[in-house]
mmCIF file of all heavy atoms in Angstrom:
data_model
loop_
_atom_site.group_PDB
_atom_site.id
_atom_site.type_symbol
_atom_site.label_atom_id
_atom_site.label_comp_id
_atom_site.label_asym_id
_atom_site.label_seq_id
_atom_site.Cartn_x
_atom_site.Cartn_y
_atom_site.Cartn_z
ATOM 1 N N VAL A 1 -72.387 -0.380 -13.159
ATOM 2 C CA VAL A 1 -73.002 -0.928 -14.365
ATOM 3 C C VAL A 1 -73.047 -2.452 -14.263
ATOM 4 O O VAL A 1 -72.115 -3.088 -13.769
ATOM 5 C CB VAL A 1 -72.230 -0.488 -15.627
ATOM 6 C CG1 VAL A 1 -72.705 -1.245 -16.856
ATOM 7 C CG2 VAL A 1 -72.403 1.011 -15.842
ATOM 8 N N ILE A 2 -74.152 -3.040 -14.750
ATOM 9 C CA ILE A 2 -74.359 -4.493 -14.723
ATOM 10 C C ILE A 2 -74.470 -4.997 -16.154
ATOM 11 O O ILE A 2 -75.183 -4.415 -16.972
ATOM 12 C CB ILE A 2 -75.627 -4.851 -13.923
ATOM 13 C CG1 ILE A 2 -75.443 -4.503 -12.443
ATOM 14 C CG2 ILE A 2 -75.986 -6.322 -14.079
ATOM 15 C CD1 ILE A 2 -76.711 -4.643 -11.617
ATOM 16 N N PHE A 3 -73.764 -6.103 -16.448
ATOM 17 C CA PHE A 3 -73.793 -6.716 -17.771
ATOM 18 C C PHE A 3 -74.346 -8.139 -17.650
ATOM 19 O O PHE A 3 -73.799 -8.956 -16.900
ATOM 20 C CB PHE A 3 -72.394 -6.783 -18.377
ATOM 21 C CG PHE A 3 -71.776 -5.438 -18.669
ATOM 22 C CD1 PHE A 3 -71.006 -4.793 -17.712
ATOM 23 C CD2 PHE A 3 -71.954 -4.828 -19.897
ATOM 24 C CE1 PHE A 3 -70.420 -3.562 -17.973
ATOM 25 C CE2 PHE A 3 -71.381 -3.593 -20.164
ATOM 26 C CZ PHE A 3 -70.618 -2.951 -19.210
ATOM 27 N N LEU A 4 -75.418 -8.431 -18.390
ATOM 28 C CA LEU A 4 -76.001 -9.773 -18.442
ATOM 29 C C LEU A 4 -75.643 -10.409 -19.776
ATOM 30 O O LEU A 4 -75.935 -9.853 -20.839
ATOM 31 C CB LEU A 4 -77.518 -9.706 -18.290
ATOM 32 C CG LEU A 4 -78.301 -10.994 -18.596
ATOM 33 C CD1 LEU A 4 -77.929 -12.105 -17.620
ATOM 34 C CD2 LEU A 4 -79.803 -10.739 -18.554
ATOM 35 N N ALA A 5 -75.026 -11.581 -19.738
ATOM 36 C CA ALA A 5 -74.622 -12.286 -20.951
ATOM 37 C C ALA A 5 -75.729 -13.224 -21.411
ATOM 38 O O ALA A 5 -76.112 -14.143 -20.683
ATOM 39 C CB ALA A 5 -73.337 -13.077 -20.696
ATOM 40 N N GLU A 6 -76.243 -12.977 -22.618
ATOM 41 C CA GLU A 6 -77.191 -13.903 -23.244
ATOM 42 C C GLU A 6 -76.360 -14.835 -24.109
ATOM 43 O O GLU A 6 -76.035 -14.529 -25.249
ATOM 44 C CB GLU A 6 -78.216 -13.128 -24.082
ATOM 45 C CG GLU A 6 -79.308 -14.003 -24.681
ATOM 46 C CD GLU A 6 -79.076 -14.346 -26.155
ATOM 47 O OE1 GLU A 6 -78.106 -13.852 -26.750
ATOM 48 O OE2 GLU A 6 -79.887 -15.113 -26.698
ATOM 49 N N ALA A 7 -75.962 -15.952 -23.519
ATOM 50 C CA ALA A 7 -75.007 -16.831 -24.201
ATOM 51 C C ALA A 7 -75.418 -18.281 -24.008
ATOM 52 O O ALA A 7 -74.917 -18.958 -23.119
ATOM 53 C CB ALA A 7 -73.592 -16.597 -23.669
ATOM 54 N N PHE A 8 -76.356 -18.747 -24.825
ATOM 55 C CA PHE A 8 -76.740 -20.153 -24.766
ATOM 56 C C PHE A 8 -75.743 -20.937 -25.618
ATOM 57 O O PHE A 8 -75.973 -21.212 -26.793
ATOM 58 C CB PHE A 8 -78.166 -20.337 -25.278
ATOM 59 C CG PHE A 8 -79.192 -19.636 -24.445
ATOM 60 C CD1 PHE A 8 -79.897 -18.561 -24.954
ATOM 61 C CD2 PHE A 8 -79.459 -20.029 -23.150
ATOM 62 C CE1 PHE A 8 -80.856 -17.906 -24.198
ATOM 63 C CE2 PHE A 8 -80.408 -19.383 -22.374
ATOM 64 C CZ PHE A 8 -81.105 -18.317 -22.900
ATOM 65 N N THR A 9 -74.633 -21.279 -25.030
ATOM 66 C CA THR A 9 -73.546 -21.905 -25.774
ATOM 67 C C THR A 9 -72.883 -22.941 -24.882
ATOM 68 O O THR A 9 -73.444 -23.350 -23.864
ATOM 69 C CB THR A 9 -72.550 -20.830 -26.258
ATOM 70 O OG1 THR A 9 -71.517 -21.453 -27.006
ATOM 71 C CG2 THR A 9 -71.940 -20.069 -25.089
ATOM 72 N N ARG A 10 -71.710 -23.359 -25.251
ATOM 73 C CA ARG A 10 -71.015 -24.398 -24.504
ATOM 74 C C ARG A 10 -70.667 -23.908 -23.099
ATOM 75 O O ARG A 10 -70.352 -22.731 -22.905
ATOM 76 C CB ARG A 10 -69.754 -24.825 -25.254
ATOM 77 C CG ARG A 10 -70.052 -25.282 -26.678
ATOM 78 C CD ARG A 10 -68.825 -25.818 -27.393
ATOM 79 N NE ARG A 10 -67.720 -24.885 -27.447
ATOM 80 C CZ ARG A 10 -67.618 -23.873 -28.306
ATOM 81 N NH1 ARG A 10 -68.607 -23.633 -29.165
ATOM 82 N NH2 ARG A 10 -66.561 -23.090 -28.313
ATOM 83 N N PRO A 11 -70.698 -24.821 -22.120
ATOM 84 C CA PRO A 11 -70.507 -24.385 -20.727
ATOM 85 C C PRO A 11 -69.223 -23.602 -20.488
ATOM 86 O O PRO A 11 -69.242 -22.564 -19.824
ATOM 87 C CB PRO A 11 -70.511 -25.707 -19.947
ATOM 88 C CG PRO A 11 -71.282 -26.647 -20.788
ATOM 89 C CD PRO A 11 -70.998 -26.262 -22.206
ATOM 90 N N LYS A 12 -68.108 -24.072 -21.022
ATOM 91 C CA LYS A 12 -66.847 -23.401 -20.728
ATOM 92 C C LYS A 12 -66.793 -22.013 -21.345
ATOM 93 O O LYS A 12 -66.128 -21.117 -20.813
ATOM 94 C CB LYS A 12 -65.677 -24.267 -21.188
ATOM 95 C CG LYS A 12 -65.524 -25.523 -20.336
ATOM 96 C CD LYS A 12 -64.342 -26.376 -20.758
ATOM 97 C CE LYS A 12 -64.246 -27.621 -19.876
ATOM 98 N NZ LYS A 12 -63.126 -28.508 -20.264
ATOM 99 N N VAL A 13 -67.482 -21.835 -22.461
ATOM 100 C CA VAL A 13 -67.556 -20.502 -23.063
ATOM 101 C C VAL A 13 -68.371 -19.580 -22.174
ATOM 102 O O VAL A 13 -67.994 -18.424 -21.912
ATOM 103 C CB VAL A 13 -68.171 -20.578 -24.471
ATOM 104 C CG1 VAL A 13 -68.362 -19.181 -25.055
ATOM 105 C CG2 VAL A 13 -67.284 -21.419 -25.391
ATOM 106 N N MET A 14 -69.506 -20.074 -21.656
ATOM 107 C CA MET A 14 -70.326 -19.270 -20.751
ATOM 108 C C MET A 14 -69.553 -18.888 -19.497
ATOM 109 O O MET A 14 -69.619 -17.747 -19.030
ATOM 110 C CB MET A 14 -71.589 -20.050 -20.377
ATOM 111 C CG MET A 14 -72.517 -20.322 -21.546
ATOM 112 S SD MET A 14 -73.818 -21.502 -21.132
ATOM 113 C CE MET A 14 -74.747 -20.601 -19.914
ATOM 114 N N TYR A 15 -68.800 -19.834 -18.973
ATOM 115 C CA TYR A 15 -68.066 -19.570 -17.744
ATOM 116 C C TYR A 15 -66.912 -18.592 -17.991
ATOM 117 O O TYR A 15 -66.582 -17.775 -17.131
ATOM 118 C CB TYR A 15 -67.545 -20.876 -17.149
ATOM 119 C CG TYR A 15 -68.635 -21.874 -16.815
ATOM 120 C CD1 TYR A 15 -68.401 -23.242 -16.787
ATOM 121 C CD2 TYR A 15 -69.943 -21.443 -16.562
ATOM 122 C CE1 TYR A 15 -69.413 -24.146 -16.489
ATOM 123 C CE2 TYR A 15 -70.960 -22.341 -16.270
ATOM 124 C CZ TYR A 15 -70.686 -23.693 -16.245
ATOM 125 O OH TYR A 15 -71.693 -24.585 -15.956
ATOM 126 N N TRP A 16 -66.299 -18.675 -19.175
ATOM 127 C CA TRP A 16 -65.215 -17.743 -19.480
ATOM 128 C C TRP A 16 -65.746 -16.317 -19.577
ATOM 129 O O TRP A 16 -65.094 -15.366 -19.121
ATOM 130 C CB TRP A 16 -64.516 -18.144 -20.769
ATOM 131 C CG TRP A 16 -63.229 -17.414 -20.983
ATOM 132 C CD1 TRP A 16 -63.017 -16.332 -21.783
ATOM 133 C CD2 TRP A 16 -61.970 -17.693 -20.367
ATOM 134 N NE1 TRP A 16 -61.705 -15.918 -21.714
ATOM 135 C CE2 TRP A 16 -61.031 -16.741 -20.845
ATOM 136 C CE3 TRP A 16 -61.533 -18.660 -19.462
ATOM 137 C CZ2 TRP A 16 -59.701 -16.731 -20.447
ATOM 138 C CZ3 TRP A 16 -60.203 -18.645 -19.067
ATOM 139 C CH2 TRP A 16 -59.307 -17.682 -19.550
ATOM 140 N N LEU A 17 -66.917 -16.146 -20.168
ATOM 141 C CA LEU A 17 -67.533 -14.820 -20.240
ATOM 142 C C LEU A 17 -67.743 -14.258 -18.834
ATOM 143 O O LEU A 17 -67.556 -13.058 -18.593
ATOM 144 C CB LEU A 17 -68.858 -14.887 -20.992
ATOM 145 C CG LEU A 17 -68.756 -15.124 -22.502
ATOM 146 C CD1 LEU A 17 -70.124 -15.484 -23.077
ATOM 147 C CD2 LEU A 17 -68.208 -13.894 -23.214
ATOM 148 N N ALA A 18 -68.136 -15.120 -17.906
ATOM 149 C CA ALA A 18 -68.307 -14.668 -16.523
ATOM 150 C C ALA A 18 -66.966 -14.270 -15.919
ATOM 151 O O ALA A 18 -66.861 -13.262 -15.214
ATOM 152 C CB ALA A 18 -68.965 -15.767 -15.699
ATOM 153 N N LYS A 19 -65.942 -15.044 -16.194
ATOM 154 C CA LYS A 19 -64.622 -14.731 -15.647
ATOM 155 C C LYS A 19 -64.127 -13.378 -16.134
ATOM 156 O O LYS A 19 -63.529 -12.607 -15.376
ATOM 157 C CB LYS A 19 -63.617 -15.818 -16.026
ATOM 158 C CG LYS A 19 -63.801 -17.135 -15.303
ATOM 159 C CD LYS A 19 -62.773 -18.159 -15.765
ATOM 160 C CE LYS A 19 -62.962 -19.495 -15.064
ATOM 161 N NZ LYS A 19 -61.981 -20.503 -15.530
ATOM 162 N N ILE A 20 -64.353 -13.070 -17.417
ATOM 163 C CA ILE A 20 -63.775 -11.841 -17.967
ATOM 164 C C ILE A 20 -64.597 -10.609 -17.629
ATOM 165 O O ILE A 20 -64.215 -9.502 -18.014
ATOM 166 C CB ILE A 20 -63.563 -11.946 -19.487
ATOM 167 C CG1 ILE A 20 -64.894 -12.128 -20.221
ATOM 168 C CG2 ILE A 20 -62.576 -13.045 -19.816
ATOM 169 C CD1 ILE A 20 -64.741 -12.209 -21.732
ATOM 170 N N GLY A 21 -65.741 -10.780 -16.915
ATOM 171 C CA GLY A 21 -66.385 -9.584 -16.406
ATOM 172 C C GLY A 21 -67.894 -9.511 -16.412
ATOM 173 O O GLY A 21 -68.463 -8.621 -15.781
ATOM 174 N N PHE A 22 -68.589 -10.413 -17.120
ATOM 175 C CA PHE A 22 -70.047 -10.309 -17.139
ATOM 176 C C PHE A 22 -70.612 -10.551 -15.737
ATOM 177 O O PHE A 22 -70.224 -11.481 -15.045
ATOM 178 C CB PHE A 22 -70.640 -11.298 -18.139
ATOM 179 C CG PHE A 22 -70.602 -10.787 -19.558
ATOM 180 C CD1 PHE A 22 -69.534 -11.073 -20.382
ATOM 181 C CD2 PHE A 22 -71.623 -9.990 -20.044
ATOM 182 C CE1 PHE A 22 -69.478 -10.585 -21.680
ATOM 183 C CE2 PHE A 22 -71.593 -9.496 -21.335
ATOM 184 C CZ PHE A 22 -70.521 -9.795 -22.165
ATOM 185 N N SER A 23 -71.549 -9.705 -15.353
ATOM 186 C CA SER A 23 -72.097 -9.740 -13.993
ATOM 187 C C SER A 23 -73.023 -10.928 -13.778
ATOM 188 O O SER A 23 -73.071 -11.498 -12.687
ATOM 189 C CB SER A 23 -72.875 -8.444 -13.708
ATOM 190 O OG SER A 23 -72.188 -7.313 -14.161
ATOM 191 N N GLN A 24 -73.801 -11.268 -14.797
ATOM 192 C CA GLN A 24 -74.762 -12.363 -14.735
ATOM 193 C C GLN A 24 -74.752 -13.093 -16.073
ATOM 194 O O GLN A 24 -74.206 -12.590 -17.061
ATOM 195 C CB GLN A 24 -76.183 -11.847 -14.457
ATOM 196 C CG GLN A 24 -76.372 -11.094 -13.165
ATOM 197 C CD GLN A 24 -77.797 -10.574 -13.017
ATOM 198 O OE1 GLN A 24 -78.670 -10.815 -13.846
ATOM 199 N NE2 GLN A 24 -78.034 -9.821 -11.949
ATOM 200 N N SER A 25 -75.390 -14.261 -16.094
ATOM 201 C CA SER A 25 -75.445 -15.013 -17.339
ATOM 202 C C SER A 25 -76.734 -15.806 -17.439
ATOM 203 O O SER A 25 -77.242 -16.333 -16.440
ATOM 204 C CB SER A 25 -74.265 -15.980 -17.445
ATOM 205 O OG SER A 25 -74.366 -16.768 -18.620
ATOM 206 N N TYR A 26 -77.264 -15.897 -18.664
ATOM 207 C CA TYR A 26 -78.320 -16.861 -18.940
ATOM 208 C C TYR A 26 -77.756 -18.265 -18.692
ATOM 209 O O TYR A 26 -76.539 -18.467 -18.630
ATOM 210 C CB TYR A 26 -78.779 -16.759 -20.389
ATOM 211 C CG TYR A 26 -79.717 -15.619 -20.691
ATOM 212 C CD1 TYR A 26 -79.470 -14.325 -20.254
ATOM 213 C CD2 TYR A 26 -80.857 -15.829 -21.462
ATOM 214 C CE1 TYR A 26 -80.324 -13.281 -20.555
ATOM 215 C CE2 TYR A 26 -81.722 -14.785 -21.783
ATOM 216 C CZ TYR A 26 -81.454 -13.514 -21.327
ATOM 217 O OH TYR A 26 -82.303 -12.485 -21.637
ATOM 218 N N THR A 27 -78.625 -19.247 -18.589
ATOM 219 C CA THR A 27 -78.205 -20.604 -18.240
ATOM 220 C C THR A 27 -79.011 -21.623 -19.042
ATOM 221 O O THR A 27 -79.808 -21.282 -19.900
ATOM 222 C CB THR A 27 -78.434 -20.876 -16.745
ATOM 223 O OG1 THR A 27 -79.849 -20.920 -16.507
ATOM 224 C CG2 THR A 27 -77.797 -19.814 -15.868
ATOM 225 N N TYR A 28 -78.787 -22.889 -18.704
ATOM 226 C CA TYR A 28 -79.531 -23.988 -19.318
ATOM 227 C C TYR A 28 -80.800 -24.323 -18.543
ATOM 228 O O TYR A 28 -81.421 -25.358 -18.802
ATOM 229 C CB TYR A 28 -78.653 -25.243 -19.377
ATOM 230 C CG TYR A 28 -77.340 -25.066 -20.096
ATOM 231 C CD1 TYR A 28 -76.161 -25.571 -19.548
ATOM 232 C CD2 TYR A 28 -77.260 -24.404 -21.317
ATOM 233 C CE1 TYR A 28 -74.952 -25.419 -20.192
ATOM 234 C CE2 TYR A 28 -76.047 -24.248 -21.971
ATOM 235 C CZ TYR A 28 -74.898 -24.749 -21.409
ATOM 236 O OH TYR A 28 -73.700 -24.594 -22.051
ATOM 237 N N PHE A 29 -81.179 -23.497 -17.606
ATOM 238 C CA PHE A 29 -82.326 -23.818 -16.754
ATOM 239 C C PHE A 29 -83.565 -24.186 -17.562
ATOM 240 O O PHE A 29 -84.307 -25.110 -17.192
ATOM 241 C CB PHE A 29 -82.642 -22.643 -15.828
ATOM 242 C CG PHE A 29 -83.985 -22.747 -15.151
ATOM 243 C CD1 PHE A 29 -84.178 -23.640 -14.115
ATOM 244 C CD2 PHE A 29 -85.061 -21.969 -15.567
ATOM 245 C CE1 PHE A 29 -85.418 -23.760 -13.492
ATOM 246 C CE2 PHE A 29 -86.300 -22.076 -14.951
ATOM 247 C CZ PHE A 29 -86.478 -22.973 -13.925
ATOM 248 N N ALA A 30 -83.821 -23.481 -18.645
ATOM 249 C CA ALA A 30 -85.045 -23.726 -19.426
ATOM 250 C C ALA A 30 -85.147 -25.177 -19.877
ATOM 251 O O ALA A 30 -86.258 -25.687 -20.090
ATOM 252 C CB ALA A 30 -85.095 -22.793 -20.635
ATOM 253 N N TRP A 31 -84.005 -25.855 -20.021
ATOM 254 C CA TRP A 31 -84.006 -27.228 -20.528
ATOM 255 C C TRP A 31 -83.680 -28.258 -19.456
ATOM 256 O O TRP A 31 -83.359 -29.404 -19.772
ATOM 257 C CB TRP A 31 -83.002 -27.340 -21.682
ATOM 258 C CG TRP A 31 -83.349 -26.398 -22.797
ATOM 259 C CD1 TRP A 31 -84.322 -26.533 -23.744
ATOM 260 C CD2 TRP A 31 -82.706 -25.147 -23.069
ATOM 261 N NE1 TRP A 31 -84.334 -25.454 -24.584
ATOM 262 C CE2 TRP A 31 -83.351 -24.580 -24.198
ATOM 263 C CE3 TRP A 31 -81.654 -24.449 -22.482
ATOM 264 C CZ2 TRP A 31 -82.974 -23.352 -24.734
ATOM 265 C CZ3 TRP A 31 -81.280 -23.224 -23.013
ATOM 266 C CH2 TRP A 31 -81.935 -22.697 -24.127
ATOM 267 N N ARG A 32 -83.750 -27.879 -18.217
ATOM 268 C CA ARG A 32 -83.553 -28.827 -17.120
ATOM 269 C C ARG A 32 -84.910 -29.051 -16.461
ATOM 270 O O ARG A 32 -85.443 -28.151 -15.812
ATOM 271 C CB ARG A 32 -82.533 -28.291 -16.101
ATOM 272 C CG ARG A 32 -81.134 -28.056 -16.693
ATOM 273 C CD ARG A 32 -80.485 -29.358 -17.129
ATOM 274 N NE ARG A 32 -79.120 -29.144 -17.605
ATOM 275 C CZ ARG A 32 -78.779 -28.961 -18.876
ATOM 276 N NH1 ARG A 32 -79.731 -28.948 -19.811
ATOM 277 N NH2 ARG A 32 -77.529 -28.799 -19.229
ATOM 278 N N HIS A 33 -85.452 -30.253 -16.643
ATOM 279 C CA HIS A 33 -86.838 -30.494 -16.234
ATOM 280 C C HIS A 33 -86.981 -31.559 -15.144
ATOM 281 O O HIS A 33 -87.763 -31.399 -14.210
ATOM 282 C CB HIS A 33 -87.676 -30.919 -17.449
ATOM 283 C CG HIS A 33 -87.621 -29.950 -18.589
ATOM 284 N ND1 HIS A 33 -88.114 -28.673 -18.488
ATOM 285 C CD2 HIS A 33 -87.116 -30.060 -19.840
ATOM 286 C CE1 HIS A 33 -87.928 -28.036 -19.637
ATOM 287 N NE2 HIS A 33 -87.316 -28.854 -20.472
ATOM 288 N N THR A 34 -86.246 -32.661 -15.268
ATOM 289 C CA THR A 34 -86.421 -33.741 -14.301
ATOM 290 C C THR A 34 -85.713 -33.415 -12.992
ATOM 291 O O THR A 34 -84.853 -32.534 -12.917
ATOM 292 C CB THR A 34 -85.861 -35.064 -14.854
ATOM 293 O OG1 THR A 34 -84.423 -34.968 -14.934
ATOM 294 C CG2 THR A 34 -86.432 -35.366 -16.236
ATOM 295 N N LYS A 35 -86.082 -34.162 -11.987
ATOM 296 C CA LYS A 35 -85.475 -33.971 -10.666
ATOM 297 C C LYS A 35 -83.965 -34.154 -10.729
ATOM 298 O O LYS A 35 -83.203 -33.329 -10.193
ATOM 299 C CB LYS A 35 -86.102 -34.967 -9.686
ATOM 300 C CG LYS A 35 -85.601 -34.864 -8.256
ATOM 301 C CD LYS A 35 -86.385 -35.829 -7.380
ATOM 302 C CE LYS A 35 -85.948 -35.760 -5.927
ATOM 303 N NZ LYS A 35 -86.784 -36.635 -5.066
ATOM 304 N N GLN A 36 -83.511 -35.206 -11.408
ATOM 305 C CA GLN A 36 -82.087 -35.476 -11.481
ATOM 306 C C GLN A 36 -81.363 -34.386 -12.255
ATOM 307 O O GLN A 36 -80.260 -33.954 -11.875
ATOM 308 C CB GLN A 36 -81.842 -36.845 -12.133
ATOM 309 C CG GLN A 36 -80.403 -37.318 -12.030
ATOM 310 C CD GLN A 36 -79.946 -37.483 -10.580
ATOM 311 O OE1 GLN A 36 -80.741 -37.814 -9.690
ATOM 312 N NE2 GLN A 36 -78.668 -37.235 -10.332
ATOM 313 N N GLU A 37 -81.960 -33.915 -13.355
ATOM 314 C CA GLU A 37 -81.339 -32.855 -14.144
ATOM 315 C C GLU A 37 -81.174 -31.581 -13.322
ATOM 316 O O GLU A 37 -80.131 -30.928 -13.362
ATOM 317 C CB GLU A 37 -82.182 -32.561 -15.384
ATOM 318 C CG GLU A 37 -82.123 -33.631 -16.458
ATOM 319 C CD GLU A 37 -83.111 -33.372 -17.576
ATOM 320 O OE1 GLU A 37 -84.067 -32.589 -17.379
ATOM 321 O OE2 GLU A 37 -82.947 -33.971 -18.654
ATOM 322 N N LEU A 38 -82.200 -31.222 -12.593
ATOM 323 C CA LEU A 38 -82.144 -30.007 -11.790
ATOM 324 C C LEU A 38 -81.112 -30.123 -10.672
ATOM 325 O O LEU A 38 -80.337 -29.196 -10.421
ATOM 326 C CB LEU A 38 -83.526 -29.698 -11.211
ATOM 327 C CG LEU A 38 -84.566 -29.200 -12.218
ATOM 328 C CD1 LEU A 38 -85.969 -29.272 -11.630
ATOM 329 C CD2 LEU A 38 -84.254 -27.766 -12.653
ATOM 330 N N ILE A 39 -81.088 -31.273 -9.999
ATOM 331 C CA ILE A 39 -80.138 -31.452 -8.897
ATOM 332 C C ILE A 39 -78.703 -31.404 -9.421
ATOM 333 O O ILE A 39 -77.839 -30.722 -8.846
ATOM 334 C CB ILE A 39 -80.414 -32.773 -8.155
ATOM 335 C CG1 ILE A 39 -81.731 -32.671 -7.372
ATOM 336 C CG2 ILE A 39 -79.258 -33.118 -7.214
ATOM 337 C CD1 ILE A 39 -82.142 -33.959 -6.677
ATOM 338 N N GLU A 40 -78.435 -32.110 -10.510
ATOM 339 C CA GLU A 40 -77.074 -32.134 -11.049
ATOM 340 C C GLU A 40 -76.632 -30.745 -11.501
ATOM 341 O O GLU A 40 -75.504 -30.318 -11.217
ATOM 342 C CB GLU A 40 -76.995 -33.129 -12.211
ATOM 343 C CG GLU A 40 -77.074 -34.588 -11.786
ATOM 344 C CD GLU A 40 -77.019 -35.538 -12.962
ATOM 345 O OE1 GLU A 40 -76.961 -35.060 -14.126
ATOM 346 O OE2 GLU A 40 -77.037 -36.765 -12.738
ATOM 347 N N TYR A 41 -77.520 -30.037 -12.196
ATOM 348 C CA TYR A 41 -77.126 -28.733 -12.726
ATOM 349 C C TYR A 41 -76.928 -27.714 -11.608
ATOM 350 O O TYR A 41 -75.932 -26.983 -11.575
ATOM 351 C CB TYR A 41 -78.182 -28.242 -13.717
ATOM 352 C CG TYR A 41 -77.789 -26.977 -14.448
ATOM 353 C CD1 TYR A 41 -76.534 -26.851 -15.016
ATOM 354 C CD2 TYR A 41 -78.672 -25.910 -14.569
ATOM 355 C CE1 TYR A 41 -76.155 -25.699 -15.694
ATOM 356 C CE2 TYR A 41 -78.307 -24.758 -15.242
ATOM 357 C CZ TYR A 41 -77.050 -24.657 -15.801
ATOM 358 O OH TYR A 41 -76.680 -23.511 -16.457
ATOM 359 N N LEU A 42 -77.871 -27.662 -10.668
ATOM 360 C CA LEU A 42 -77.751 -26.680 -9.583
ATOM 361 C C LEU A 42 -76.592 -27.013 -8.651
ATOM 362 O O LEU A 42 -75.955 -26.105 -8.106
ATOM 363 C CB LEU A 42 -79.065 -26.609 -8.805
ATOM 364 C CG LEU A 42 -80.093 -25.570 -9.255
ATOM 365 C CD1 LEU A 42 -79.552 -24.162 -9.089
ATOM 366 C CD2 LEU A 42 -80.531 -25.793 -10.676
ATOM 367 N N THR A 43 -76.300 -28.294 -8.477
ATOM 368 C CA THR A 43 -75.151 -28.665 -7.653
ATOM 369 C C THR A 43 -73.865 -28.162 -8.287
ATOM 370 O O THR A 43 -72.963 -27.658 -7.599
ATOM 371 C CB THR A 43 -75.098 -30.189 -7.462
ATOM 372 O OG1 THR A 43 -76.295 -30.623 -6.794
ATOM 373 C CG2 THR A 43 -73.887 -30.595 -6.635
ATOM 374 N N GLU A 44 -73.775 -28.267 -9.615
ATOM 375 C CA GLU A 44 -72.601 -27.744 -10.315
ATOM 376 C C GLU A 44 -72.471 -26.238 -10.117
ATOM 377 O O GLU A 44 -71.376 -25.721 -9.858
ATOM 378 C CB GLU A 44 -72.703 -28.050 -11.813
ATOM 379 C CG GLU A 44 -71.564 -27.473 -12.637
ATOM 380 C CD GLU A 44 -71.760 -27.633 -14.128
ATOM 381 O OE1 GLU A 44 -72.813 -28.159 -14.542
ATOM 382 O OE2 GLU A 44 -70.866 -27.209 -14.891
#
């Protein structure tokens, strides 16, 4: 079974949901537009 978390919330909350078992998670990708924003976010 696969669980996808729809959790547009604070980063540490999203990451905790992943730790406790969610298989995948929504992200802030929709709001990362510039080159610097994308590089910083994906590097993290």
Side-chain angles (χ1 to χ4, degrees):
V1 170
I2 293 172
F3 295 90
L4 168 63
E6 185 260 356
F8 297 113
T9 181
R10 304 185 304 280
K12 291 182 180 179
V13 175
M14 295 169 65
Y15 301 154
W16 192 260
L17 289 167
K19 288 179 181 179
I20 63 179
F22 278 92
S23 316
Q24 300 177 3
S25 176
Y26 281 47
T27 68
Y28 304 135
F29 166 74
W31 301 283
R32 299 295 184 266
H33 305 296
T34 69
K35 182 175 181 176
Q36 190 61 32
E37 287 173 342
L38 288 165
I39 290 176
E40 289 179 358
Y41 187 47
L42 268 297
T43 299
E44 177 187 2

